[in-house]
Amino acid sequence: MKIRIKFRKYGVMKFIGHLDIMRFFQKAVRRSGIDICYSEGFSPHQVMSFAAPLGVGITSDGEYLDIEVHQSDSSEASMAGLNAVMPHGMEITGYVQLDDKAKAAMSVVSAADYEIWHKNSAQVPECLRDAGFLSQQLQEFFEKPQQVLVAKKTKKSEKTMDLKQLVYDFQILPPNAQSGGMPVYYLNASTGSTDNLKPELALEAFYRHMGLEFDAACVQIHRKDVYFTDAGGVNRPLLEAGKEIRQS
């Protein structure tokens, strides 16, 4: 059986890198009693893959991994078993069965959305506190005919892309509980192995348009969810590709 798991990453766990998260889940799956499959060969490993690695320091409500199991308890029981071995800062929020022919999450990711806010509002220029000003600047930014070129480095080469073509939605939202009274940037952007846009690149380009310097260390990035494109061309959360396992 192919299983897709959704989890949250928050608090101090945001400082744990992707490789350590992989090792953690290998241990957590064993401790929870999930009957996971192992690869063949001299060095067998758990059949497990992650959708879109999260950068260090970024929190998220929408992280995904795929596993293969010999058999599985219900979604509810499996989530409870995993959450019983999760530390503070990690929480399993979804567990579904995929079709046997379903592609791995990492190969179907097409987009992700984010909320971004300043960590210390006291150090922010007055103009960035004005949601009306930011919305006007954002409209002008996208109305400009010029391309906004960004470079994506791969193992063998460097690819230049137009940032505006990779941003599907960019809005200024009212303050939330974490933003200290500051407006929140909402961004939905291309994500995946082909055209992957880091949210801080979009914000840096927007600040440059406003004549301001951008320091990525001064903002908190929170990923809300990760999406795939269905047969009808609609972006849907990765969890919707599967079905919940009911208690027999």
Side-chain angles (χ1 to χ4, degrees):
M1 296 171 62
K2 291 184 177 181
I3 300 293
R4 178 160 296 162
I5 299 171
K6 182 179 182 179
F7 64 97
R8 295 178 61 216
K9 183 181 178 185
Y10 60 97
V12 296
M13 291 300 290
K14 70 182 181 181
F15 298 114
I16 305 300
H18 178 62
L19 291 179
D20 287 322
I21 291 294
M22 290 176 60
R23 297 186 189 100
F24 164 75
F25 266 101
Q26 290 168 359
K27 296 177 181 178
V29 165
R30 288 200 301 268
R31 291 169 180 165
S32 68
I34 289 178
D35 190 11
I36 194 169
C37 297
Y38 283 78
S39 63
E40 299 178 354
F42 292 104
S43 181
H45 59 273
Q46 295 177 2
V47 181
M48 175 185 294
S49 62
F50 287 74
L54 198 65
V56 174
I58 300 177
T59 57
S60 177
D61 286 333
E63 297 306 290
Y64 294 88
L65 71 148
D66 290 349
I67 61 174
E68 289 188 21
V69 299
H70 296 290
Q71 58 184 357
S72 177
D73 291 335
S74 67
S75 294
E76 182 180 0
S78 298
M79 288 172 59
L82 282 167
N83 277 322
V85 297
M86 291 288 121
H88 180 72
M90 299 283 284
E91 180 188 4
I92 306 300
T93 59
Y95 184 103
V96 296
Q97 180 180 356
L98 301 173
D99 185 84
D100 289 341
K101 296 181 180 180
K103 295 182 179 179
M106 66 170 61
S107 66
V108 298
V109 169
S110 59
D113 54 0
Y114 304 86
E115 288 184 350
I116 309 167
W117 60 86
H118 282 271
K119 297 176 184 177
N120 188 347
S121 59
Q123 300 176 352
V124 178
E126 191 63 34
C127 63
L128 297 183
R129 303 173 186 272
D130 186 342
F133 168 79
L134 291 173
S135 296
Q136 180 183 357
Q137 290 294 314
L138 195 58
Q139 182 178 354
E140 293 177 0
F141 175 66
F142 281 102
E143 286 179 348
K144 280 188 173 182
Q146 299 93 334
Q147 292 181 325
V148 180
L149 301 179
V150 293
K152 176 188 176 183
K153 293 184 179 180
T154 65
K155 293 181 179 179
K156 297 182 179 180
S157 62
E158 184 173 281
K159 180 181 179 180
T160 301
M161 304 175 293
D162 180 12
L163 180 146
K164 291 183 179 180
Q165 300 301 315
L166 305 179
V167 174
Y168 306 137
D169 192 10
F170 199 163
Q171 301 179 35
I172 308 300
L173 302 182
N176 61 27
Q178 294 82 33
S179 67
M182 292 287 297
V184 175
Y185 302 99
Y186 171 80
L187 178 70
N188 186 296
S190 176
T191 304
S193 57
T194 304
D195 294 326
N196 184 67
L197 178 65
K198 293 182 178 181
E200 53 266 41
L201 288 180
L203 209 55
E204 181 181 13
F206 178 48
Y207 272 49
R208 190 163 55 245
H209 160 76
M210 294 188 292
L212 299 172
E213 291 187 7
F214 173 72
D215 183 357
C218 293
V219 298
Q220 178 60 55
I221 301 173
H222 178 76
R223 183 147 73 186
K224 295 182 64 64
D225 217 327
V226 179
Y227 302 87
F228 74 100
T229 304
D230 66 13
V234 178
N235 282 346
R236 297 167 55 198
L238 285 177
L239 201 69
E240 293 186 8
K243 295 182 179 180
E244 188 174 326
I245 304 172
R246 303 291 183 179
Q247 187 71 47
S248 57

